[in-house]
Amino acid sequence: MQTQPLDMQSFISNMPKAELHVHLEGTLEPELSFALAAKNNIPLEFDTPEQLIAAYDFHDLPSFLKIYYAGMNVLINQEDFYQLTFDYLTKAASENIVYVELFFDPQAHTSRGVSFETIITGIHKAQLDAEDALGIRSQLIMCFLRELSAESAMEHLKLAMPYLPWLVGVGLDSNEKDNPPAKFAEVFAKARALDLKLTMHCDVNQLDTLTNIKQCLDDIQVDRIDHGVNALQDPALLKKIQQQQMGLTVCPVSNRFVVQSLTSKEVRQMLEQNILVTINSDDPAYFRAYLNENFIELQREGQFSTQDIVTMVENAFKVAWLKDSEINQYLAQVSQYARHVLKPSPTAHA
Ligand code: ADE
Ligand code: ZN
């Protein structure tokens, strides 16, 4: 008996996967941007999608956020949010993603005069239709923009009250500098009391990141941390993350824009220390890499084994905000896939 030679790219691409860190507005492809701009009579600075992509020049979080917020001005009507969501879920299903937890940034739209109802209704309808048509399941996480006030975050939580069954949790994203988790303690406590799950971004190499990670763990008591790679620099933080079996949603291609590496060494250290590290795409239309590409590039840079890949995919299902019975069904799907693909094959001389 011998094992079949393995094409790592197909192994990754065909595996059933979960994505836990993807910003809906970060999935806005230039072609859809142009179509919506034409429909809604919104002038764009560029003549073609290619020119728009050529202007994607990110080297840190603020330079990315500037382009990200400018991009979403084309989203006006319920159908626009529907189309954005349905297109992303179609792409995700084509990558064999079977489950998604999807961030959205309502304040980036209500501040432009788009109603909360318009945003969430468009997204929710697309989630239902994508599940029916493509079999991909998704849940929604409402993010607060951390450079805006805690009062604005609280107002948006109140706006969300009629739609609570459509949300699985709340998150915190955008510009981290001088906007620590503690600023939002009250709104996150209220969200917890409403039975929502909690997560917060601690982007790679941000100022005060270790203080922010500590606040996430001790003060806010989050259920997950988005990014959180710098926790490796503090053994006490890492131990807490490990003991609490907390998931970290790492985004390799996104990290490359900030630290010029896919953080594969850090991912390996996390695996070695039994941290529940997961791999995600963050803002795939802007970073030009969806989930499979993130895994494939990470595997190449860090020479991860098939077992490492399986572990990272399993981690995502383990820390997903689902019932244990649902998690176990997904884990069974992954192990069945791995068993089937990695099974030894008899050779002619066996
Ligand atoms: N909003 C969208 N993408 C983000 C990221 N990578 N970090 C912080 N906020 C974001
Ligand atoms: Zn993010």
Side-chain angles (χ1 to χ4, degrees), residues 253-317:
V253 174
S254 168
N255 288 345
R256 189 165 59 192
F257 286 96
V258 183
V259 294
Q260 287 72 53
S261 123
L262 296 161
T263 55
S264 56
K265 282 203 183 96
E266 289 82 352
V267 168
R268 176 159 313 282
Q269 285 172 30
M270 289 180 194
L271 286 174
E272 284 168 358
Q273 299 187 58
N274 291 322
I275 299 291
L276 291 168
V277 56
T278 71
I279 302 305
N280 304 273
S281 70
D282 209 358
D283 299 287
Y286 288 94
F287 302 144
R288 313 307 295 155
Y290 283 79
L291 185 59
N292 282 343
E293 205 54 34
N294 271 269
F295 267 111
I296 290 164
E297 292 207 35
L298 179 78
Q299 191 281 328
R300 274 196 208 119
E301 185 182 281
Q303 290 301 301
F304 290 102
S305 66
T306 50
Q307 182 51 54
D308 294 330
I309 302 293
V310 170
T311 300
M312 290 187 270
V313 170
E314 286 175 342
N315 286 348
F317 288 113

Side-chain angles (χ1 to χ4, degrees), residues 10 14 30 48 102 104 114 137 195 220 240 244 266 329:
S10 326
N14 295 332
T48 63
L102 195 55
F104 75 119
V114 180
R137 174 145 184 225
D195 258 347
I220 312 294
K240 265 190 201 158
Q244 293 181 22
E266 289 82 352
Q329 278 180 12

Side-chain angles (χ1 to χ4, degrees), residues 37-228:
K39 177 176 86 68
N40 293 327
N41 278 321
I42 293 173
L44 289 180
E45 268 184 62
F46 303 95
D47 294 329
T48 63
E50 292 71 28
Q51 282 177 14
L52 178 59
I53 294 171
Y56 289 172
D57 175 22
F58 322 123
H59 46 277
D60 56 15
L61 185 53
S63 61
F64 164 70
L65 290 171
K66 195 163 165 256
I67 292 172
Y68 172 75
Y69 289 120
M72 57 182 86
N73 286 335
V74 297
L75 298 164
I76 307 285
N77 302 307
Q78 197 188 110
E79 308 83 71
D80 306 342
F81 288 91
Y82 178 97
Q83 191 71 51
L84 177 67
T85 310
F86 197 84
D87 282 6
Y88 164 68
L89 291 171
T90 303
K91 172 71 181 169
S94 79
E95 293 212 336
N96 291 306
I97 297 174
V98 293
Y99 175 71
V100 184
E101 288 175 10
L102 195 55
F103 295 133
F104 75 119
D105 285 331
Q107 288 157 297
H109 312 301
T110 55
S111 61
R112 301 181 289 110
V114 180
S115 78
F116 191 86
E117 183 194 3
T118 296
I119 306 162
I120 198 161
T121 309
I123 298 171
H124 182 72
K125 280 188 180 159
Q127 288 180 272
L128 296 181
D129 285 356
E131 186 160 354
D132 267 1
L134 310 164
I136 182 167
R137 174 145 184 225
S138 60
Q139 299 202 85
L140 201 52
I141 302 174
M142 179 170 77
C143 279
F144 304 116
L145 303 187
R146 62 202 305 163
E147 67 270 34
L148 301 187
S149 66
E151 290 73 29
S152 172
M154 190 64 92
E155 272 167 33
H156 282 76
L157 185 57
K158 288 188 182 141
L159 286 175
M161 295 297 269
Y163 308 98
L164 281 184
W166 295 359
L167 295 179
V168 68
V170 293
L172 186 69
D173 63 2
S174 206
N175 197 350
E176 198 163 328
K177 188 165 180 291
D178 300 327
N179 295 301
K183 175 176 166 186
F184 298 94
E186 196 186 337
V187 68
F188 274 71
K190 185 164 166 70
R192 160 85 74 213
L194 293 168
D195 258 347
L196 292 167
K197 296 285 191 181
L198 312 183
T199 186
M200 288 181 161
H201 276 56
C202 293
D203 268 86
V204 65
N205 280 15
Q206 299 300 295
L207 192 69
D208 300 327
T209 185
L210 295 181
T211 310
N212 289 353
I213 294 172
K214 190 166 169 19
Q215 283 184 9
C216 279
L217 295 172
D218 296 347
D219 303 341
I220 312 294
Q221 300 188 352
V222 293
D223 298 289
R224 264 196 330 243
I225 292 180
D226 298 312
H227 300 286

